[in-house]
C-alpha cells in the first residue's frame, strides 16, 4: 500500500514508467505494508535509487572482483589501505567516488566477502543517484569492512516478507562447515522474480543459492539453508535530503 501525503494511490495515478519502477510499484501496492511519502518526488527518488542498486549489482557481478575471506582480501593500493583485519580504508587525498568506482573498473585487483560487497553495491548506487560531487562531499574516510557503512548512508533493518527489488536479504546456512565459516550464509540483493545477486555466487534463483550453500554444510549437517525474513534498506528519505542539501 502506497500513501502519498496520507492518501492511498495506485499505479495509474502515479504515471510511473520503466520496467524496474513498475515492478517495484506493483509489489508495494500489493503488500499490506504501508509505504508512506511526504510527496511523489520522494517515491520517484526511491524508485530511481532502487533501480540503481540493481544496476550496481550487475556491474559488480561483471567486474571480475573475486569472493575471498577477510584473511585473503585484496584491494587496489592506489586508492585503499588494506588493514590487518582485511578491511579497506580509503587513502587520504583520494576521491571517494573514484575509489569506489575503481572496484568495478579494475575488479581484478579486488577480493572480498559478501557483506563488504553489499556496502560496495550501495555506495555505487549512491554515486549513480546523487552524483560524484555530492558523494565526495559526504562520504569521506570510507571503511569497507563487513557490515560497516558510512554514517551518511543511513540504513534500517526489519523482519518481514515484503521484499522489494533493491533490498538486501540474507540466506542462512545453519549447518555450515566450521572449516568454511564464510559460508554460514549469503548476503544478497533482491532483483524480484526469484532472482538474487550474491557476491561469489552471481545472479541466481533462491533454489540455486540454497543448493550452493547446502553443499558447504558440515559432514553431519542435515538442516537446509533458507531465505530469512531479514530485510535491510537505505533510508531513502534521508538520502534524498542529503542529495538536496
Amino acid at each position: 500500500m502506497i500513501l502519498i501525503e496520507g492518501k492511498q494511490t495506485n499505479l495509474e495515478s502515479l504515471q510511473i514508467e520503466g520496467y524496474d519502477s513498475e515492478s517495484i510499484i506493483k509489489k508495494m501496492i500489493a503488500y499490506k505494508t504501508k509505504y508512506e511519502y511526504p510527496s511523489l518526488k520522494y517515491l520517484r527518488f526511491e524508485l530511481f535509487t532502487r533501480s540503481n542498486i540493481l544496476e550496481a549489482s550487475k556491474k559488480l557481478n561483471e567486474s571480475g572482483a573475486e569472493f575471498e575471506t577477510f584473511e585473503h582480501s585484496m584491494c587496489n593500493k592506489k586508492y585503499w589501505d588494506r588493514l590487518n583485519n582485511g578491511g579497506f580504508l580509503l587513502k587520504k587525498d583520494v576521491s571517494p567516488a573514484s575509489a569506489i568506482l575503481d572496484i568495478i573498473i579494475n575488479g581484478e585487483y579486488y577480493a572480498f566477502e559478501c557483506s563488504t560487497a553489499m556496502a560496495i553495491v550501495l555506495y555505487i548506487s549512491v554515486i549513480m543517484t546523487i552524483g560524484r560531487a555530492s558523494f565526495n562531499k559526504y562520504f569521506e574516510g570510507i571503511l569497507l569492512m563487513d557490515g560497516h557503512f558510512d554514517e551518511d548512508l543511513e540504513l534500517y533493518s526489519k523482519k518481514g516478507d515484503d521484499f522489494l527489488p533493491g533490498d538486501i536479504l540474507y540466506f542462512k546456512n545453519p549447518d555450515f562447515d566450521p572449516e568454511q565459516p564464510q559460508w554460514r550464509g549469503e548476503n544478497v540483493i533482491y532483483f524480484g522474480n526469484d532472482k538474487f545477486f550474491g557476491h561469489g555466487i552471481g545472479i541466481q534463483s533462491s533454489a540455486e543459492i540454497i543448493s550452493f550453500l547446502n553443499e558447504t554444510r558440515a559432514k553431519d549437517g542435515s538442516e537446509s539453508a533458507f531465505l530469512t525474513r531479514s530485510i535491510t534498506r537505505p533510508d531513502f528519505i534521508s538520502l534524498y535530503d542529503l542529495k538536496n542539501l
Side-chain angles (χ1 to χ4, degrees), residues 89-103:
L89 181 63
L90 185 71
K91 284 182 176 290
K92 293 182 179 180
D93 301 322
V94 165
S95 159
S98 295
I100 289 293
L101 294 176
D102 183 68
I103 299 171

Side-chain angles (χ1 to χ4, degrees), residues 96-115:
S98 295
I100 289 293
L101 294 176
D102 183 68
I103 299 171
I104 55 176
I105 295 170
N106 294 301
E108 66 272 17
Y109 293 107
Y110 293 87
F112 41 82
E113 44 60 69
C114 64
S115 58

Side-chain angles (χ1 to χ4, degrees), residues 2-3 33-34 43 49 62 122 141 143 152 164 183 203 242:
I2 298 175
L3 300 174
T33 303
K34 292 182 180 180
L43 172 58
T49 307
E62 297 167 356
L122 291 188
L143 171 63
D152 285 308
L164 295 172
W183 298 120
I203 299 174
L242 189 68

